[in-house]
Amino acid sequence: MNDVPNPSRTPRAQWNSRTGFILAAAGSAVGLGNIWKFPYITGENGGGAFVLVYLACILVVGVPVMMAEVMLGRASRSSAVDAYRKLSDPKSKWVAFGILAVVGAFLLLSYYSTVAGWALHYTYLSLTNAIAGIDAGQAEGLFGDLTGTPLIGVGWQLAFLAITMCVVAAGVSHGIERWARIMMPGLFVLILILLGKAVTMPGWGEAMGFLFGMNWDKLTAAGVLEALGHSFFTLSLGMGSMITYGSYLRSQDDLASASLATAGADTLVALAASMVLFPIVFTFGMAPGAGPGLLFVTLPTALAQMTGGAVLSVIFFVMLVFAALTSAIAILEVIAAYVVDHHGISRVKSCVGATIVVALFGVPATASGGWFNAVDYFVSNWALPLGGLGVALFVAWRMDGALRRKEFETGSALAKFYSAWLWTLKYPVPISIAVVFLHAIGVLSWIGSLMG
Ligand code: PHE
């Protein structure tokens, strides 16, 4: 049904309801970023104050950009590249932002699937009771075996990519929406169970103090910029994901509230994940800022010493797999929808082809740790903020104003915020992103050194 790239003859696929969209979009947003990255960067930046800055970034920058991205998709009924063309002119240079998004999606999925493969591996280890009773050194050893034996990592990565491919190939409502309806509620239930356990742990109080106490002296300028950069990553912005998902949103649905709900769900899961991890970390007297190893070394070590730890670790890693899977689906959909829309190739063929190309990039990334960091740096610090800047500038300054207002206000409980949203998108958003870039190219530290 998606074979013919002609919306006038074949109606574009749609979510079955606004809830379907919210679950799929929240599935995209809630991912490794929330459960793996957010807790450890919070740990590295000293907790409380960082959390507050992060929340401000989500509200002031993330939410307005998300509304703009969803709008770009729905108003054009197109995936990332064609959305810009349809809403300006066919030869428009804006299209470069769409192409960047598709290229970024290839790169992101190539290493996202590596970490997701680790999550599958740890689910397997938990199920086979292989992490019962291990100490810190043995946990290091298990993780070292995984990262040091390329074949194991690659095997799990390919398994993960294959599952992702099958869901996306099944289509928007039969694949993506159906699985989001199963995995997202599942994820919420699992995290609530873990939270129930965390509350009872001796380290709970200390963890709350760490997460919500205001220790401003630990917060650096780099930490603030990291919070801003992470708000793009965690909300899946700047990668065409929300454009593509927005293109399947029904025209009568309230786009602004749906975006806000998506961002709200994402934030709640990030906080909940921290409220699960830090009590465990503190109960066992471990370091909060343990870096990327927090989930795969620190956590298993602690779980191995807890009563019920075996069950808890299955719950935890299954939850992590759900989070990663619904995000990977959204990343693959960016590519698949582009190929389907633009080149008129069938959805199944597009998915298979895109997955093969991702694997060609991704397997070397898994096999050699170094590439992984370089690609993550490029995607998180350049591609996503640049993509988000493109969306904000296009919607605020280029898109037809009447259409923009209609898209925002139709059926919306937030209609009265239209002007505030537009103003935010015109000025604070591009300025904040520009600051991130100035920092990345070293201009800010240069000015800082001039000032003494
Ligand atoms: N938001 C996802 C996460 O937090 C990552 C992602 C980024 C997914 C961009 C899609 C697009 O893990």
Side-chain angles (χ1 to χ4, degrees), residues 28-34 108 112 233-236 239 241 327 330-331:
S28 167
V30 172
L32 296 169
N34 302 59
L108 176 57
Y112 204 83
F233 187 89
T234 191
L235 294 179
S236 302
M239 179 118 305
S241 217
S327 296
I331 307 171

Side-chain angles (χ1 to χ4, degrees), residues 158-188:
L158 292 178
F160 178 83
L161 282 173
I163 302 172
T164 308
M165 181 184 85
C166 292
V167 174
V168 178
V172 172
S173 103
H174 293 294
I176 304 175
E177 182 173 354
R178 177 202 270 168
W179 285 100
R181 279 180 186 276
I182 297 170
M183 286 192 278
M184 291 313 287
L187 186 151
F188 291 128

Side-chain angles (χ1 to χ4, degrees), residues 8-74:
S8 61
R9 268 187 293 148
T10 43
R12 192 176 183 77
Q14 285 196 343
W15 308 114
N16 290 315
S17 66
R18 198 174 70 114
T19 315
F21 166 81
I22 295 174
L23 287 172
S28 167
V30 172
L32 296 169
N34 302 59
I35 297 160
W36 179 55
K37 228 172 175 181
F38 178 73
Y40 88 72
I41 58 178
T42 300
E44 285 171 349
N45 287 289
F50 177 83
V51 173
L52 196 67
V53 172
Y54 166 81
L55 294 177
C57 291
I58 294 283
L59 204 61
V60 178
V61 181
V63 170
V65 173
M66 183 180 294
M67 291 171 177
E69 265 209 57
V70 176
M71 181 181 290
L72 204 51
R74 188 172 69 181

